[in-house]
Amino acid sequence: MMPPLPRRSLHTLLPSSFLMGGSKHIPMRCSAAAAVPGSPYRLLHLHTHRRLVLQSPRSPNSKYLPSCLKSARFFSVGPLMVNKTVHLPKPDDKMVDTERLARLKSKLAEVGIKCGSCQPGKYSRMTCPQCKGGSSEEKSFSLFIREDLQLAMWSCFRAKCGWRGTAKVSEEVKAHNLRSDEPLQVKGHRKISERELQLEPLCEELVAYFSERMISAETLRRNAVMQRKYNDQIVIAFTYRRNGTLVGCKYREVSKKFWQERDTEKIFYGLDDIKQANDIIIVEGEVDKLSMEEAGYRNCVSVPDGAPAKVSEEIPNEKEDKKFQYLWTCKEYLDKASRIILATDVDPPGQALAEEIARRIGKERCWRVKWPKKNSTDVCKDANEVLMYLGPDALRKVVENAELYPIRGLFTFSDFFHEIDAYYHCHHGFELGVSTGWKALDELYNVVPGELTVITGVPNSGKSEWIDALLCNINESHGWKFVLCSMENKVRDHARKLLEKHIKKPFFNARYGGSLERMSVEELEQGKEWLNDAFHLIRCEDDCLPSIKWVLTLAKAAVLRYGVRGLVIDPYNELDHQRPANQTETEYVSQMLTRIKRFAQHHSCHVWFVAHPRQLQHWDGCPPNIYDISGSAHFINKCDNGIVIHRNRDKKAGPLDRVQVCVRKVRNKVIGNIGEAFLSYNRITGEFLDIDDKDQKK
């Protein structure tokens, strides 16, 4: 027998690092002699990567504890390996670990991986050094350093990157990229069978449950709807088959809790029913597919995974499109169809599902159903509700009346019939245009929301004054509100001009006012209230020039917030017109005017755009041509209306207060015609008057 070892304290048998160090604990019970007084039990802590080995002269190869330790009432949770020599930790082990970790981090740094805060034995998530996480900068990179500090592994889980590799302390770094054209290593789909899943025919209770939902036993049998026991209850099993072979299975409790068999291939439910179908109906749930069959439509399938919460920003490529993988798996079935009817649920997720499917298979061959009302207030949610509340005939009618799926930017006139009817009956009141307030212009120019009027004229002709007078007239007669982007005017000066036109008195007792009485304080206060209600301002508060995009963004806010019906941009040359080096001024002006016109049309807001003519070398005093606008002929080509304002400067030609309004372009014959009109300008109040009205006032 092996001689008994002398009883000694554990502290004399093992160094303190064995007693206190490590992350895993092996509980051992020791005798009272070896225990601390008052503590019958101790915990012996061992490093997981070190082994306690003891010499045994009698049984050097024994795997188990010597009998002397057994007699001392020592025992372990598992077998304790024994070797010839006692391997005790060296004092410089921590120093060795530190050096090894430093070498490993250095190798990782060579390939661009910074792992300063990474802890051995734990996965660290960060941004991939190769792909930088793509446009979203997602943290798709995973790094793992083994506890023994001998190996580091990493992988980027973005499909477009896939960079992965390993680094060992004693070897070269190994890394490679998963190219975008390299096929993904797809995990094989699990093969299942009815026997393995323990599926069985539906019991009478579940057949009765479906009967309440208007689904017959024959439809259930033909679609192989089964059941199985799960957690002491019976659940419905919808079997997904291709060519009659079971591919997947989806379970449903009566309480509408769903789950599927894992690792199975994702396909449509009822796939075999659309093998040769020219028309295919896609619904959101298995019960809806069964409901369509009750209405006589077997060419119907259901998606396997339900609907997304919202439409995604962009369509991922086929490899990344996990949520809709069944569309790619069943692509050959869908490609044969000439018409696909989307009968998803009426709620927002159902509509999002329809959009996601349509944008993948092509909206040009998609149709959509319109669910009817089930009572005076509520709309049927899906096919089964139509079947239950209204019957199979109503469900057939829903499918027969399916509409073309809308394609953004592509319409039929029927989409606008309501607008055409309102235009014919003049429901809005401005279909023939809003009068300018001057009789002389009634046959030439009227204002319609949603149009662009370009105004030009030589400097000091009164373009801005005429527009201000026009706005005051329209506000007085029709109550329109306006937003003004007038960069040439100080706010106080612009307010003075508008108030003088509105109150019809001079703002100051100054030379220009002559003998006419100045507006009173009471009139000023009333005028300020009118000013604040009728006009809103777009002002650039710093030294930089505003861009047209900035102006239109604020104008849109004014339309939505204050209900303005008109926008004035005065003048063109006060805006920032920076453009790409490869873009000509003509191209820039064309794009700018297109943007302004779209704003006007989309927000039913009339836009007046003031543009100066180019420098006239040999000007003879006549009104300039509208093609003389500085920058481009697109000003006249793209606008709806073109007007030249011209003031007489020659006493021989007529009164100096005579203003000529030249209407050079009218796109819409309903609101005006090309021609000229003359108005009289009151320099004291800034009013523009018809010639007859001026004579009457005299």
Side-chain angles (χ1 to χ4, degrees), residues 560-624:
L560 299 177
R561 177 173 291 186
Y562 304 116
V564 303
R565 303 304 296 270
L567 163 66
V568 176
I569 303 175
D570 181 14
Y572 161 75
N573 58 0
E574 289 289 337
L575 298 176
D576 181 15
H577 300 298
Q578 293 186 19
R579 62 181 188 272
N582 60 347
Q583 187 181 44
T584 66
E585 184 177 14
T586 299
E587 293 170 338
Y588 166 77
V589 170
S590 176
Q591 291 183 4
M592 177 191 65
L593 293 175
T594 298
R595 179 174 290 178
I596 294 173
K597 288 190 65 175
R598 286 180 178 172
F599 164 81
Q601 293 171 0
H602 291 171
H603 299 286
S604 191
C605 179
H606 196 102
V607 180
W608 290 272
F609 196 16
V610 179
H612 294 307
R614 62 175 177 267
Q615 188 174 359
L616 303 176
Q617 299 293 338
H618 305 287
W619 182 49
D620 58 2
C622 295

Side-chain angles (χ1 to χ4, degrees), residues 194 197-203 225-229 234 237:
E194 294 181 16
L197 303 181
Q198 299 179 348
L199 301 182
E200 54 190 27
L202 289 174
C203 62
V225 181
M226 307 182 78
Q227 69 178 40
R228 68 168 289 186
K229 293 180 181 179
I234 301 296

Side-chain angles (χ1 to χ4, degrees), residues 310-584:
K310 61 180 182 179
V311 179
S312 58
E313 294 183 1
E314 59 181 16
I315 303 176
N317 60 44
E318 181 179 347
K319 298 174 184 177
E320 297 177 312
D321 201 8
K322 303 300 182 185
K323 174 67 177 177
F324 296 93
Q325 197 62 48
Y326 57 88
L327 291 175
W328 304 102
T329 303
C330 306
K331 186 175 183 297
E332 60 177 301
Y333 293 81
L334 299 175
D335 287 345
K336 298 175 182 178
S338 58
R339 188 171 76 137
I340 298 176
I341 301 173
L342 303 178
T344 55
D345 289 5
V346 76
D347 57 11
Q351 298 308 301
L353 174 62
E355 177 67 16
E356 292 285 12
I357 295 174
R359 65 205 294 221
R360 285 166 172 79
I361 64 179
K363 294 181 180 180
E364 65 278 358
R365 59 188 179 127
C366 288
W367 297 60
R368 66 177 181 181
V369 301
K370 185 175 181 180
W371 298 117
K373 285 188 174 182
K374 60 183 177 183
N375 52 45
S376 58
T377 56
D378 300 323
V379 175
C380 291
K381 183 178 75 73
D382 51 28
N384 187 244
E385 280 202 357
V386 176
L387 181 65
M388 291 175 61
Y389 285 90
L390 305 177
D393 291 339
L395 186 54
R396 279 193 293 272
K397 189 175 181 180
V398 167
V399 176
E400 291 170 359
N401 294 335
E403 303 171 345
L404 288 166
Y405 196 88
I407 299 176
R408 186 176 181 182
L410 181 62
F411 304 95
T412 63
F413 270 106
S414 62
D415 297 322
F416 300 92
F417 279 171
H418 65 288
E419 186 176 332
I420 296 171
D421 291 339
Y423 187 44
Y424 176 81
H425 295 288
C426 297
H427 286 168
H428 298 294
F430 48 70
E431 286 78 6
L432 301 180
V434 171
S435 174
T436 61
W438 298 297
K439 296 176 184 178
L441 283 170
D442 284 347
E443 299 298 322
L444 302 178
Y445 176 66
N446 292 276
V447 180
V448 175
E451 290 190 349
L452 168 64
T453 297
V454 171
I455 298 173
T456 190
V458 297
N460 203 28
S461 292
K463 300 182 293 295
S464 300
E465 290 277 3
W466 183 82
I467 291 178
D468 286 347
L470 173 64
L471 303 186
C472 289
N473 290 347
I474 296 177
N475 172 263
E476 183 178 353
S477 59
H478 294 88
W480 281 22
K481 298 180 180 181
F482 307 93
V483 57
L484 309 176
C485 179
S486 183
M487 302 301 175
E488 287 185 332
N489 280 314
K490 294 179 181 178
V491 173
R492 64 182 187 182
D493 289 335
H494 204 172
R496 172 182 57 79
K497 295 175 184 179
L498 291 168
L499 288 171
E500 288 178 339
K501 291 175 175 61
H502 177 65
I503 300 174
K504 299 176 175 56
K505 290 183 180 180
F507 192 83
F508 292 116
N509 279 328
R511 290 185 297 274
Y512 76 90
S515 60
L516 193 61
E517 182 183 358
R518 178 189 187 186
M519 67 180 69
S520 66
V521 174
E522 291 77 11
E523 289 172 330
L524 173 63
E525 292 302 321
Q526 293 175 2
K528 285 162 57 179
E529 291 183 9
W530 165 81
L531 200 65
N532 194 59
D533 180 67
F535 299 97
H536 303 275
L537 303 175
I538 294 176
R539 306 290 296 183
C540 192
E541 297 179 352
D542 49 33
D543 294 335
C544 64
L545 294 176
S547 67
I548 191 64
K549 182 179 179 181
W550 179 79
V551 171
L552 295 180
T553 300
L554 293 178
K556 176 183 177 180
V559 170
L560 299 177
R561 177 173 291 186
Y562 304 116
V564 303
R565 303 304 296 270
L567 163 66
V568 176
I569 303 175
D570 181 14
Y572 161 75
N573 58 0
E574 289 289 337
L575 298 176
D576 181 15
H577 300 298
Q578 293 186 19
R579 62 181 188 272
N582 60 347
Q583 187 181 44
T584 66

